[in-house]
Structure formats: C-alpha cells, structure tokens
Amino acid sequence: MYKHLKVCIIGNGSHSKRIQKILRLKKIKFFIFKPKSKKNYKNKNLNFLKKFNIFFIISPNKTHYHYIKSLYKRGYIFCEKPPTNNKIELEKLKKIKSNKIYYNFNFRFSKIAEI
C-alpha cells in the first residue's frame, strides 16, 4: 500500500520514537538518519537524504532550517519543534513557497510568536 513512500526520520530522540511507533503500526518502512558528526548537514549526508520523499525532521532545533532548505523540493517535510531559532532563518523560511512543509509546533507559546 505504501511502497512508493521513502520515509526518513532525521533524529532518534524520544519524539522520534513516537513517530517510529506510529509508522510501524501503519506498516510503513522508514530509515532513521542520525549522523555521527555534529555537522550533520554536510553535502555528503544531504546527497544521501535526497533519495527519500518524506522527511520527519526531529533533530536539534538549530539544524531544522538547513534540512528544510536542502530537502523541501524533494518531497514532504514534517518538522517538529520550532522551525528555527532565529529571526533571519525564519524570514528565509517564509520565502519558501511550498505546500509540502508541515510544522508540529504551537507558535502561541514561543518567542517566535512575539517576533
């Protein structure tokens, strides 16, 4: 049923585990990407990720912008937490014209809402 989906979960923390559980219940295969290096958005890693068409970005907040910017043309993105930690990156994200990016974050209770 879901054979055309190539799902990648970026991050392997507690929320990632919840997403993994849901995908397993739906019998959807996925790959967990947890880079060895803190510079996890190096070109080598990004080229590897481009073979997927659905991304769950559940990595540290400071990495979200780089993943979104690099992967949004490849497929659908679900981004956990705030999409960025700073106003400059937030303004850049606003310029991305895509209806395939979804944020699971309640802006009402964040500093980003004040910006």
Side-chain angles (χ1 to χ4, degrees):
M1 180 176 183
Y2 299 110
K3 291 182 182 185
H4 66 284
L5 301 179
K6 295 177 185 168
V7 179
C8 180
I9 300 173
I10 301 171
N12 198 25
S14 60
H15 189 65
S16 175
K17 303 276 194 250
R18 290 189 287 272
I19 297 293
Q20 292 171 38
K21 183 178 179 181
I22 292 167
L23 293 174
R24 282 188 190 103
L25 287 172
K26 298 284 185 183
K27 296 185 172 66
I28 298 172
K29 293 181 182 181
F30 57 89
F31 176 80
I32 300 168
F33 179 72
K34 187 162 192 295
K36 295 175 186 173
S37 166
K38 292 190 182 207
K39 296 186 182 224
N40 48 357
Y41 29 83
K42 288 182 176 178
N43 285 337
K44 183 173 90 171
N45 290 335
L46 291 174
N47 286 334
F48 170 77
L49 292 175
K50 290 179 180 178
K51 69 180 184 177
F52 297 96
N53 59 14
I54 296 178
F55 303 94
F56 288 87
I57 301 174
I58 310 173
S59 55
N61 296 353
K62 67 181 181 180
T63 66
H64 292 181
Y65 170 75
H66 298 285
Y67 284 125
I68 293 168
K69 180 181 79 167
S70 300
L71 300 171
Y72 80 93
K73 292 180 182 177
R74 298 286 173 186
Y76 290 88
I77 293 177
F78 169 89
C79 183
E80 181 55 31
K81 303 176 189 169
T84 181
N85 285 342
N86 65 65
K87 186 176 179 180
I88 293 169
E89 289 177 352
L90 182 62
E91 291 303 320
K92 290 178 182 178
L93 285 176
K94 285 181 180 180
K95 293 177 183 177
I96 294 176
K97 303 294 182 207
S98 176
N99 60 353
K100 295 181 179 183
I101 303 172
Y102 301 91
Y103 299 104
N104 185 29
F105 181 73
N106 191 337
F107 284 100
R108 294 182 303 152
F109 303 110
S110 74
K111 293 286 181 190
I112 291 176
E114 296 172 16
I115 294 172

